[in-house]
Short mmCIF file of all heavy atoms in Angstrom, two decimals:
data_model
loop_
_atom_site.label_atom_id
_atom_site.label_comp_id
_atom_site.label_asym_id
_atom_site.label_seq_id
_atom_site.Cartn_x
_atom_site.Cartn_y
_atom_site.Cartn_z
N PHE R 18 -137.99 -145.49 137.35
CA PHE R 18 -136.86 -145.19 138.22
C PHE R 18 -137.29 -144.18 139.28
O PHE R 18 -137.77 -143.11 138.97
CB PHE R 18 -135.69 -144.63 137.40
CG PHE R 18 -135.13 -145.63 136.44
CD1 PHE R 18 -135.48 -145.59 135.10
CD2 PHE R 18 -134.29 -146.64 136.88
CE1 PHE R 18 -134.97 -146.52 134.21
CE2 PHE R 18 -133.78 -147.57 136.00
CZ PHE R 18 -134.13 -147.52 134.67
N LEU R 19 -137.07 -144.56 140.53
CA LEU R 19 -137.46 -143.72 141.65
C LEU R 19 -136.28 -142.86 142.11
O LEU R 19 -135.14 -143.32 142.09
CB LEU R 19 -137.94 -144.60 142.81
CG LEU R 19 -139.13 -145.49 142.47
CD1 LEU R 19 -139.37 -146.48 143.59
CD2 LEU R 19 -140.36 -144.65 142.23
N PRO R 20 -136.53 -141.64 142.55
CA PRO R 20 -135.44 -140.79 143.03
C PRO R 20 -134.88 -141.33 144.35
O PRO R 20 -135.63 -141.69 145.25
CB PRO R 20 -136.09 -139.42 143.22
CG PRO R 20 -137.55 -139.70 143.36
CD PRO R 20 -137.82 -140.96 142.61
N LYS R 21 -133.57 -141.40 144.43
CA LYS R 21 -132.87 -141.86 145.63
C LYS R 21 -131.68 -140.94 145.86
O LYS R 21 -131.33 -140.12 145.02
CB LYS R 21 -132.37 -143.30 145.46
CG LYS R 21 -133.45 -144.33 145.20
CD LYS R 21 -134.26 -144.61 146.43
CE LYS R 21 -135.30 -145.69 146.16
NZ LYS R 21 -136.06 -146.01 147.34
N ILE R 22 -131.04 -141.13 147.00
CA ILE R 22 -129.82 -140.40 147.33
C ILE R 22 -128.72 -141.43 147.59
O ILE R 22 -128.95 -142.41 148.30
CB ILE R 22 -130.01 -139.53 148.60
CG1 ILE R 22 -131.04 -138.44 148.37
CG2 ILE R 22 -128.68 -138.95 149.07
CD1 ILE R 22 -130.61 -137.35 147.43
N LYS R 23 -127.54 -141.19 147.00
CA LYS R 23 -126.39 -142.05 147.29
C LYS R 23 -125.43 -141.27 148.17
O LYS R 23 -125.00 -140.18 147.82
CB LYS R 23 -125.68 -142.49 146.01
CG LYS R 23 -124.47 -143.36 146.31
CD LYS R 23 -123.94 -144.11 145.10
CE LYS R 23 -123.37 -143.23 144.05
NZ LYS R 23 -122.63 -143.98 143.02
N VAL R 24 -125.15 -141.83 149.35
CA VAL R 24 -124.22 -141.24 150.30
C VAL R 24 -122.95 -142.08 150.27
O VAL R 24 -123.02 -143.31 150.41
CB VAL R 24 -124.82 -141.22 151.72
CG1 VAL R 24 -123.82 -140.66 152.72
CG2 VAL R 24 -126.11 -140.43 151.75
N GLU R 25 -121.81 -141.45 150.07
CA GLU R 25 -120.53 -142.16 150.02
C GLU R 25 -119.60 -141.60 151.08
O GLU R 25 -119.49 -140.38 151.23
CB GLU R 25 -119.88 -142.00 148.65
CG GLU R 25 -120.72 -142.54 147.51
CD GLU R 25 -120.14 -142.17 146.17
OE1 GLU R 25 -120.40 -141.03 145.73
OE2 GLU R 25 -119.42 -143.00 145.58
N VAL R 26 -118.92 -142.49 151.77
CA VAL R 26 -117.94 -142.07 152.77
C VAL R 26 -116.80 -143.09 152.79
O VAL R 26 -117.03 -144.29 152.70
CB VAL R 26 -118.59 -141.90 154.16
CG1 VAL R 26 -119.18 -143.17 154.67
CG2 VAL R 26 -117.61 -141.33 155.16
N VAL R 27 -115.56 -142.59 152.84
CA VAL R 27 -114.38 -143.44 152.95
C VAL R 27 -113.85 -143.27 154.36
O VAL R 27 -113.68 -142.15 154.83
CB VAL R 27 -113.32 -143.07 151.89
CG1 VAL R 27 -112.06 -143.90 152.10
CG2 VAL R 27 -113.87 -143.27 150.49
N LEU R 28 -113.60 -144.40 155.03
CA LEU R 28 -113.17 -144.33 156.41
C LEU R 28 -112.28 -145.49 156.80
O LEU R 28 -112.11 -146.44 156.04
CB LEU R 28 -114.39 -144.25 157.34
CG LEU R 28 -115.66 -145.00 156.95
CD1 LEU R 28 -115.56 -146.45 157.28
CD2 LEU R 28 -116.82 -144.38 157.65
N ALA R 29 -111.71 -145.38 157.99
CA ALA R 29 -110.83 -146.44 158.51
C ALA R 29 -111.66 -147.68 158.80
O ALA R 29 -112.85 -147.61 159.11
CB ALA R 29 -110.14 -145.95 159.78
N ASP R 30 -111.01 -148.84 158.71
CA ASP R 30 -111.70 -150.11 158.90
C ASP R 30 -112.44 -150.19 160.23
O ASP R 30 -113.54 -150.76 160.30
CB ASP R 30 -110.69 -151.28 158.82
CG ASP R 30 -110.15 -151.49 157.42
OD1 ASP R 30 -110.72 -150.91 156.47
OD2 ASP R 30 -109.16 -152.23 157.27
N ASP R 31 -111.87 -149.61 161.28
CA ASP R 31 -112.49 -149.72 162.60
C ASP R 31 -113.73 -148.83 162.77
O ASP R 31 -114.44 -148.94 163.76
CB ASP R 31 -111.48 -149.42 163.71
CG ASP R 31 -110.89 -148.02 163.63
OD1 ASP R 31 -111.00 -147.38 162.56
OD2 ASP R 31 -110.34 -147.57 164.65
N MET R 32 -114.01 -147.99 161.78
CA MET R 32 -115.20 -147.12 161.84
C MET R 32 -116.38 -147.66 161.03
O MET R 32 -117.48 -147.13 161.12
CB MET R 32 -114.84 -145.72 161.32
CG MET R 32 -113.88 -144.94 162.17
SD MET R 32 -114.63 -144.40 163.71
CE MET R 32 -115.89 -143.30 163.12
N VAL R 33 -116.15 -148.70 160.26
CA VAL R 33 -117.17 -149.19 159.33
C VAL R 33 -118.44 -149.63 160.05
O VAL R 33 -119.55 -149.23 159.67
CB VAL R 33 -116.61 -150.34 158.45
CG1 VAL R 33 -117.72 -150.99 157.64
CG2 VAL R 33 -115.53 -149.81 157.54
N ASP R 34 -118.32 -150.45 161.08
CA ASP R 34 -119.50 -150.96 161.77
C ASP R 34 -120.33 -149.83 162.36
O ASP R 34 -121.56 -149.84 162.30
CB ASP R 34 -119.12 -151.96 162.85
CG ASP R 34 -118.58 -153.26 162.26
OD1 ASP R 34 -118.90 -153.56 161.09
OD2 ASP R 34 -117.83 -153.97 162.97
N GLN R 35 -119.66 -148.83 162.95
CA GLN R 35 -120.37 -147.68 163.52
C GLN R 35 -121.11 -146.91 162.43
O GLN R 35 -122.24 -146.48 162.63
CB GLN R 35 -119.40 -146.74 164.22
CG GLN R 35 -118.84 -147.26 165.51
CD GLN R 35 -117.85 -146.27 166.10
OE1 GLN R 35 -116.77 -146.07 165.55
NE2 GLN R 35 -118.24 -145.64 167.20
N ALA R 36 -120.46 -146.72 161.29
CA ALA R 36 -121.08 -145.98 160.19
C ALA R 36 -122.29 -146.72 159.65
O ALA R 36 -123.35 -146.13 159.43
CB ALA R 36 -120.06 -145.75 159.08
N VAL R 37 -122.15 -148.03 159.44
CA VAL R 37 -123.26 -148.83 158.92
C VAL R 37 -124.44 -148.80 159.89
O VAL R 37 -125.59 -148.60 159.48
CB VAL R 37 -122.80 -150.28 158.63
CG1 VAL R 37 -123.98 -151.19 158.36
CG2 VAL R 37 -121.83 -150.29 157.45
N GLU R 38 -124.18 -148.96 161.17
CA GLU R 38 -125.25 -148.92 162.17
C GLU R 38 -125.93 -147.55 162.20
O GLU R 38 -127.16 -147.47 162.32
CB GLU R 38 -124.71 -149.27 163.56
CG GLU R 38 -124.38 -150.74 163.73
CD GLU R 38 -125.57 -151.66 163.47
OE1 GLU R 38 -126.69 -151.36 163.97
OE2 GLU R 38 -125.40 -152.67 162.78
N ALA R 39 -125.15 -146.48 162.10
CA ALA R 39 -125.72 -145.14 162.10
C ALA R 39 -126.63 -144.93 160.89
O ALA R 39 -127.71 -144.34 161.00
CB ALA R 39 -124.60 -144.09 162.11
N ILE R 40 -126.20 -145.43 159.72
CA ILE R 40 -127.02 -145.29 158.51
C ILE R 40 -128.30 -146.09 158.65
O ILE R 40 -129.39 -145.59 158.33
CB ILE R 40 -126.22 -145.72 157.26
CG1 ILE R 40 -125.05 -144.76 157.02
CG2 ILE R 40 -127.13 -145.78 156.04
CD1 ILE R 40 -124.03 -145.24 156.01
N ILE R 41 -128.19 -147.32 159.12
CA ILE R 41 -129.38 -148.16 159.28
C ILE R 41 -130.38 -147.49 160.23
O ILE R 41 -131.57 -147.40 159.93
CB ILE R 41 -129.00 -149.57 159.80
CG1 ILE R 41 -128.26 -150.35 158.72
CG2 ILE R 41 -130.25 -150.33 160.25
CD1 ILE R 41 -127.64 -151.64 159.22
N LYS R 42 -129.88 -147.02 161.34
CA LYS R 42 -130.75 -146.39 162.35
C LYS R 42 -131.45 -145.16 161.77
O LYS R 42 -132.64 -144.94 161.99
CB LYS R 42 -129.92 -146.01 163.57
CG LYS R 42 -130.72 -145.42 164.71
CD LYS R 42 -129.82 -145.12 165.90
CE LYS R 42 -130.58 -144.40 167.00
NZ LYS R 42 -129.69 -143.96 168.07
N ALA R 43 -130.72 -144.34 161.03
CA ALA R 43 -131.27 -143.09 160.51
C ALA R 43 -132.16 -143.28 159.28
O ALA R 43 -133.13 -142.55 159.11
CB ALA R 43 -130.13 -142.13 160.17
N ALA R 44 -131.86 -144.25 158.43
CA ALA R 44 -132.58 -144.40 157.17
C ALA R 44 -133.76 -145.36 157.24
O ALA R 44 -134.57 -145.40 156.33
CB ALA R 44 -131.61 -144.87 156.07
N HIS R 45 -133.88 -146.10 158.32
CA HIS R 45 -134.92 -147.12 158.43
C HIS R 45 -136.32 -146.52 158.58
O HIS R 45 -136.54 -145.65 159.42
CB HIS R 45 -134.62 -148.01 159.64
CG HIS R 45 -135.62 -149.11 159.83
ND1 HIS R 45 -136.68 -148.98 160.69
CD2 HIS R 45 -135.75 -150.32 159.24
CE1 HIS R 45 -137.41 -150.09 160.65
NE2 HIS R 45 -136.86 -150.90 159.76
N THR R 46 -137.25 -146.96 157.72
CA THR R 46 -138.66 -146.60 157.87
C THR R 46 -139.50 -147.85 158.07
O THR R 46 -140.64 -147.76 158.49
CB THR R 46 -139.21 -145.85 156.63
OG1 THR R 46 -139.23 -146.74 155.51
CG2 THR R 46 -138.40 -144.62 156.32
N GLY R 47 -138.94 -149.01 157.70
CA GLY R 47 -139.69 -150.25 157.80
C GLY R 47 -140.52 -150.54 156.56
O GLY R 47 -141.20 -151.56 156.48
N LYS R 48 -140.45 -149.65 155.58
CA LYS R 48 -141.22 -149.82 154.35
C LYS R 48 -140.29 -150.20 153.21
O LYS R 48 -139.09 -149.93 153.25
CB LYS R 48 -141.98 -148.55 154.01
CG LYS R 48 -143.00 -148.19 155.08
CD LYS R 48 -143.81 -146.99 154.67
CE LYS R 48 -144.88 -146.78 155.72
NZ LYS R 48 -144.92 -145.44 156.23
N ILE R 49 -140.87 -150.79 152.18
CA ILE R 49 -140.09 -151.18 151.01
C ILE R 49 -139.42 -149.93 150.41
O ILE R 49 -140.00 -148.85 150.41
CB ILE R 49 -140.97 -151.91 149.97
CG1 ILE R 49 -140.11 -152.60 148.93
CG2 ILE R 49 -141.99 -150.99 149.37
CD1 ILE R 49 -140.85 -153.63 148.11
N GLY R 50 -138.19 -150.09 149.95
CA GLY R 50 -137.46 -148.97 149.36
C GLY R 50 -136.58 -148.21 150.31
O GLY R 50 -136.08 -147.14 149.96
N ASP R 51 -136.36 -148.74 151.52
CA ASP R 51 -135.47 -148.07 152.48
C ASP R 51 -134.05 -147.94 151.94
O ASP R 51 -133.34 -147.03 152.31
CB ASP R 51 -135.44 -148.82 153.80
CG ASP R 51 -136.54 -148.37 154.74
OD1 ASP R 51 -137.26 -147.41 154.42
OD2 ASP R 51 -136.69 -148.99 155.80
N GLY R 52 -133.62 -148.87 151.09
CA GLY R 52 -132.31 -148.75 150.47
C GLY R 52 -131.37 -149.88 150.78
O GLY R 52 -131.75 -150.90 151.35
N LYS R 53 -130.11 -149.67 150.43
CA LYS R 53 -129.06 -150.67 150.61
C LYS R 53 -127.78 -149.97 151.02
O LYS R 53 -127.58 -148.79 150.74
CB LYS R 53 -128.81 -151.42 149.31
CG LYS R 53 -129.96 -152.28 148.85
CD LYS R 53 -129.46 -153.61 148.41
CE LYS R 53 -130.50 -154.63 148.11
NZ LYS R 53 -131.81 -154.23 147.73
N ILE R 54 -126.90 -150.75 151.66
CA ILE R 54 -125.57 -150.26 152.03
C ILE R 54 -124.55 -151.21 151.43
O ILE R 54 -124.68 -152.43 151.57
CB ILE R 54 -125.41 -150.19 153.56
CG1 ILE R 54 -126.44 -149.24 154.16
CG2 ILE R 54 -123.98 -149.75 153.92
CD1 ILE R 54 -126.48 -149.25 155.68
N PHE R 55 -123.53 -150.65 150.80
CA PHE R 55 -122.46 -151.44 150.21
C PHE R 55 -121.15 -151.04 150.88
O PHE R 55 -120.89 -149.85 151.06
CB PHE R 55 -122.34 -151.19 148.70
CG PHE R 55 -123.63 -151.40 147.96
CD1 PHE R 55 -124.46 -150.33 147.65
CD2 PHE R 55 -124.03 -152.67 147.59
CE1 PHE R 55 -125.65 -150.52 146.97
CE2 PHE R 55 -125.22 -152.88 146.90
CZ PHE R 55 -126.03 -151.80 146.59
N VAL R 56 -120.32 -152.02 151.22
CA VAL R 56 -119.01 -151.75 151.83
C VAL R 56 -117.96 -152.36 150.91
O VAL R 56 -118.01 -153.54 150.61
CB VAL R 56 -118.92 -152.35 153.25
CG1 VAL R 56 -117.55 -152.06 153.85
CG2 VAL R 56 -120.03 -151.80 154.14
N MET R 57 -116.99 -151.51 150.50
CA MET R 57 -115.96 -151.95 149.56
C MET R 57 -114.58 -151.55 150.06
O MET R 57 -114.44 -150.53 150.73
CB MET R 57 -116.19 -151.28 148.20
CG MET R 57 -117.51 -151.63 147.56
SD MET R 57 -118.00 -150.39 146.36
CE MET R 57 -118.92 -149.30 147.41
N PRO R 58 -113.57 -152.34 149.70
CA PRO R 58 -112.21 -151.96 150.08
C PRO R 58 -111.71 -150.78 149.25
O PRO R 58 -112.10 -150.61 148.10
CB PRO R 58 -111.39 -153.22 149.78
CG PRO R 58 -112.20 -153.97 148.78
CD PRO R 58 -113.63 -153.63 149.01
#
């Protein structure tokens, strides 16, 4: 098991795409293990 960080945020529906894009842009390294994003109601 590798150490990871889980970031959770609850927001309005119209902010989801901006949040997901911001996370992708900031967390991307291009290497295996960059992570995953889950969106739930």
Side-chain angles (χ1 to χ4, degrees):
F18 295 100
L19 301 170
K21 300 287 183 178
I22 296 290
K23 179 165 66 168
V24 177
E25 300 171 278
V26 61
V27 176
L28 35 79
D30 290 347
D31 61 343
M32 293 289 296
V33 171
D34 291 337
Q35 288 178 291
V37 169
E38 287 302 315
I40 294 168
I41 291 170
K42 183 178 174 187
H45 181 264
T46 67
K48 297 185 175 128
I49 193 164
D51 272 354
K53 293 225 172 25
I54 300 172
F55 306 97
V56 179
M57 298 158 270

